[in-house]
């Protein structure tokens, strides 16, 4: 007789994402996952595999549901630098207030832990970085075409800088940094990119 799952794997994975995001996957054991989801160990292992595969699946879900829609919106925004500013303002607001305040970013949090060395997890981290940087570059190229950035600005290097800045916001907000300080840092970086009009 075939084994029939009596639970929704998608809903269970969403619970795991939330658990790993809030607490940190490295300090969350399978017993914690069992308690949070109400599933048995055997059901978890049969559906997702071990802890490493479960963490990789949670990261992929986070990238799909949390990150990619934001990246796509940024890349498609035709405003240039104001789109980048808006991205960071929303990021700081999400990291400092609301339901997920002080949780940071699941992807950024994972980059600071030992699981980052697991190939399946490293692939997700690399994909996230590549897509974040590409969205930033698209916005910067629009800004260049609109004459908003200083002459000679390298869109690729600048996009890398902004990706690193986003990771910094994620980490510092999780550590308790205030929104005002985070936004001041963001503005300082963006001011360095902005074209200064001749008087």
């Amino acid at each position: 007789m075939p084994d029939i799952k009596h639970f929704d794997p998608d809903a269970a994975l969403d619970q795991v994402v939330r658990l790993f995001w809030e607490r940190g996957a490295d300090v969350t054991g399978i017993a914690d996952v069992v308690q949070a989801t109400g599933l048995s160990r055997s059901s978890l292992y049969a559906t997702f595999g071990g802890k490493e595969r479960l963490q990789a699946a949670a990261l992929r879900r986070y990238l799909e549901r949390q990150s990619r829609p934001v990246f796509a919106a940024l890349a498609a925004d035709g405003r240039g630098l104001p789109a980048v500013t808006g991205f960071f303002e929303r990021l700081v607001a999400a990291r400092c207030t609301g339901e997920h305040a002080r949780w940071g970013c699941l992807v950024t949090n994972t980059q600071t832990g030992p699981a980052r060395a697991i190939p399946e997890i490293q692939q997700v981290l690399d994909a996230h970085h590549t897509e974040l940087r590409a969205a930033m570059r698209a916005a910067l190229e629009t800004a260049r075409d609109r004459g908003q950035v200083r002459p000679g600005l390298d869109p690729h290097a600048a996009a890398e800088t902004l990706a690193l800045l986003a990771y910094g916001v994620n980490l510092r907000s999780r550590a308790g940094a205030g929104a005002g300080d985070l936004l001041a840092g963001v503005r300082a970086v963006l001011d360095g990119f902005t074209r200064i009009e001749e008087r």
Side-chain angles (χ1 to χ4, degrees):
M1 185 174 180
D3 181 29
I4 300 174
K5 289 184 173 65
H6 297 286
F7 67 95
D8 181 349
D10 282 337
L13 185 57
D14 286 338
Q15 290 177 301
V16 173
V17 168
R18 184 179 181 87
L19 182 65
F20 285 173
W21 187 5
E22 181 179 13
R23 295 189 188 177
D26 294 326
V27 298
T28 303
I30 289 297
D32 299 312
V33 176
V34 167
Q35 183 177 15
T37 62
L39 302 178
S40 66
R41 285 175 180 265
S42 60
S43 293
L44 281 172
Y45 284 121
T47 304
F48 300 109
K51 171 76 179 294
E52 292 179 359
R53 290 187 60 196
L54 179 61
Q55 189 172 354
L59 278 171
R60 286 193 294 269
R61 174 60 60 86
Y62 184 93
L63 177 58
E64 173 191 341
R65 299 279 178 87
Q66 299 291 332
S67 303
R68 281 196 175 124
V70 176
F71 299 165
L74 174 60
D77 194 316
R79 294 177 298 154
L81 277 183
V84 177
T85 299
F87 168 92
F88 279 102
E89 288 174 346
R90 289 186 294 275
L91 179 65
V92 170
R95 296 295 179 247
C96 295
T97 60
E99 180 183 2
H100 306 120
R102 306 304 174 187
W103 291 14
C105 162
L106 181 59
V107 173
T108 304
N109 298 344
T110 303
Q111 293 192 52
T112 66
R116 68 184 182 276
I118 298 167
E120 189 175 4
I121 289 175
Q122 186 64 60
Q123 287 178 352
V124 184
L125 300 181
D126 289 345
H128 180 277
H129 182 73
T130 297
E131 294 177 33
L132 170 58
R133 184 177 57 197
M136 290 294 183
R137 179 167 181 162
L140 288 170
E141 288 175 343
T142 298
R144 179 196 59 199
D145 294 343
R146 295 174 68 93
Q148 297 170 343
V149 297
R150 60 178 173 77
L153 183 74
D154 180 349
H156 182 80
E160 180 73 17
T161 299
L162 293 178
L164 297 176
L165 181 62
Y167 298 140
V169 167
N170 291 333
L171 289 173
R172 287 295 300 143
S173 64
R174 187 172 176 86
D181 288 339
L182 295 172
L183 288 172
V186 167
R187 292 189 189 104
V189 172
L190 294 181
D191 283 349
F193 292 172
T194 304
R195 181 186 185 94
I196 300 175
E197 298 294 339
E198 295 182 1
R199 297 185 183 275

